[in-house]
Structures are given as C-alpha cells and as structure tokens.
Amino acid sequence: MEQPKDRNRKPLFLGLIAVLIIAAVGIYLFADNSASQTNDVAADASSDAEAAIAAAGISKSERAATEAIVRAYILENPEIITEAVQILQKREVMQRVVSAGGALTKPFPGAIAGNPDGAITIVEFTDYNCGFCRASLADIDRLIAANKDVRVIFREVPILAESSRDGARWALAAARQGKYKAFHDALFAGGPVSEKSIRAAAARAGLNIAQAEKDAVSAEIKAELDANLSMMQQIGFGGTPTFFIGDHMIEGAVGYDALKAAVEKARKKG
C-alpha cells in the first residue's frame, strides 16, 4: 500500500542531515591537509547532498530549514565532530589491524608471558627507554596473575634511542633461551638503558652470555625488529606502550583498570 508522502520523506530528511554532518566531519578531518583535499571533500559532500535533496523532492525553503537545524546542532554540540572523527579513526586503525592478519598475534618464539595457550591475547608494543612502558609493567603482571586465560605477546619496537635497539636485540636473544620475561623485567628495573645495564640484566636473568651475544646480532632478530616497526607503521600508531586487546587499541600507560576492562570485554565477545 502506498504510504503518505510525508512519511516517505522522513528518512530522506534524516539522510540529508546525516550527509551534512558527515560533510562537516570530513572537512574537519582534512583541515590540516592541502586546500585541494579539503575542496575535494567539500565537493563530494555537496554532490551527495544534492542527490539526497533531489531524491527527497525537498524545496529550497525545506533545505534551508534543514541546514539551519544541522548548523545549530553542531554549533551547540561541537564535541560531536571530535567524537565522530575519533570513532572514524579507530575504525580505520582496526581495519588495518585486520589487514595485518595473524602476524600481530604470532609471537617471536619465547617473547610471551602468562598462559601461552590463553584465550585472551594482549599484544604490547614496547621500548626499553619508555618510562610509560616501565610504569605499565606492574599492571601487566597483575593482569597475568589475576587472569589465567591471558597471554601477553611482546613486540619490541625500538624507536626512542639506539640503546633501545640494543636492549630489544638482547631481549629477543633472551627469548630464544626461554628467559624473555626475566630479562625484560630486569632491564626495566636497571635504570637507563646502556651496554652496562643490558649486560647486568642478562646476568640477572641467567642468560648464556656468549650465546646471547651471537643471537642478538642474528638475521632472525633483525628481521623481527624490522617487521615490528613495519607493522607499527602499517597499523598507524607512533608511541609506546600500545596495547591490542581483542578489538581494542589502547595507547599509553592507562592503568590496570582500563586494561582489565578491555580484557573483560574481549572475554565476553569470546
């Protein structure tokens, strides 16, 4: 049965409003890029709006009223633009996470803590010169202790200093001896990263030093570090620590409660 004209046009009005808001978000998102990119966004939005108007049969006065409503709402609630951009960026990041495939959750042999067969996986990108990574160490240990179904995969991304790369190479050498976590904890506890603190951490972790020296300069470990840095760029984040828990990306030292909440959410999604 044919519906009244006004009822048919209601979703089209809503569609027009959505197009106008999306246009505002798009222009905001590209505001720091070139003028040509911003103009392209505006042109695309205008084209979409014209198509929606034509489909709805909206008059000039109705269009003006709708645009006034949208403008007033955005001016009264400008935070929706930032919120929309954040949601969009998060979705784009998670799409890139999916595109990374199983590489993200495939650990370098031994660079893991917690239950190796745990149903919940936390991936942490870390740097030994990162104070926020050091601050998060106790939170990760607490999560592991309280959740027997959690495994933590550590991805070394030495981005802060040359000594970060030295520490990362030795950490992966420790992983080859099954002593990654012991070395990881000892190096973070040893203060600024240096050759002296690296060797002190290696001794504290009980490494075979001669073997670790060979492994630290191996092609396998170099390839792992290069792959981690490439993955970081592909996904699109630039700092440490960064955690991936289920479909959540968490940047920074957010504290135990935030990490725990993400674990619980991942568990519920199963």
Side-chain angles (χ1 to χ4, degrees):
M1 184 174 71
E2 185 178 355
Q3 297 294 321
K5 186 177 180 181
D6 288 346
R7 194 171 298 172
N8 274 336
R9 291 170 63 185
K10 182 177 180 180
L12 293 172
F13 271 116
L14 295 176
L16 175 58
I17 290 172
V19 167
L20 293 169
I21 292 176
I22 290 168
V25 171
I27 292 169
Y28 177 91
L29 189 61
F30 285 95
D32 292 332
N33 293 328
S34 68
S36 62
Q37 286 178 300
T38 303
N39 290 337
D40 288 344
V41 171
D44 289 344
S46 178
S47 177
D48 290 342
E50 292 298 336
I53 290 166
I58 296 173
S59 69
K60 289 183 179 180
S61 61
E62 289 171 331
R63 173 178 179 170
T66 302
E67 290 176 346
I69 291 169
V70 171
R71 183 176 186 278
Y73 184 81
I74 291 175
L75 291 177
E76 291 171 5
N77 303 275
E79 67 277 4
I80 68 167
I81 300 295
T82 303
E83 291 170 3
V85 169
Q86 289 172 343
I87 291 171
L88 176 61
Q89 290 174 335
K90 180 181 177 182
R91 288 178 180 172
E92 290 176 345
V93 165
M94 294 318 298
Q95 287 173 354
R96 291 193 290 269
V97 169
V98 171
S99 71
L104 179 67
T105 54
K106 182 179 180 182
F108 184 85
I112 192 168
N115 180 352
D117 300 315
I120 307 298
T121 298
I122 299 174
V123 179
E124 178 184 358
F125 286 77
T126 185
D127 182 307
Y128 287 108
N129 279 300
C130 169
F132 295 111
C133 297
R134 181 181 293 108
S136 297
L137 190 63
D139 298 326
I140 290 295
D141 287 345
R142 188 177 169 190
L143 276 175
I144 291 170
N147 300 273
K148 302 305 180 184
D149 60 344
V150 165
R151 68 169 180 159
V152 180
I153 293 171
F154 296 96
R155 308 219 77 94
E156 300 289 340
V157 282
I159 58 175
L160 297 178
E162 184 59 33
S163 60
S164 297
R165 193 169 185 89
D166 294 336
R169 290 190 296 106
W170 275 76
L172 296 178
R176 296 189 70 171
Q177 296 184 31
K179 297 179 179 181
Y180 176 90
K181 190 63 167 63
F183 176 86
H184 181 80
D185 293 353
L187 187 53
F188 270 129
V193 181
S194 63
E195 182 178 356
K196 181 178 180 180
S197 67
I198 287 171
R199 289 187 174 272
R204 203 172 306 132
L207 297 190
N208 179 325
I209 301 298
Q211 186 62 49
E213 287 175 339
K214 293 178 183 178
D215 290 339
V217 295
S218 68
E220 181 186 11
I221 284 178
K222 180 182 183 301
E224 171 68 9
L225 296 179
D226 290 345
N228 288 345
L229 291 166
S230 177
M231 193 182 305
M232 183 182 193
Q233 294 169 352
Q234 176 188 352
I235 293 172
F237 63 95
T240 55
T242 295
F243 304 93
F244 291 89
I245 307 173
D247 60 358
H248 268 60
M249 181 180 81
I250 301 174
E251 297 181 90
V254 294
Y256 175 77
D257 290 339
L259 294 174
K260 178 185 176 184
V263 166
E264 290 174 349
K265 187 171 183 179
R267 185 180 291 120
K268 289 178 181 177
K269 288 191 174 181

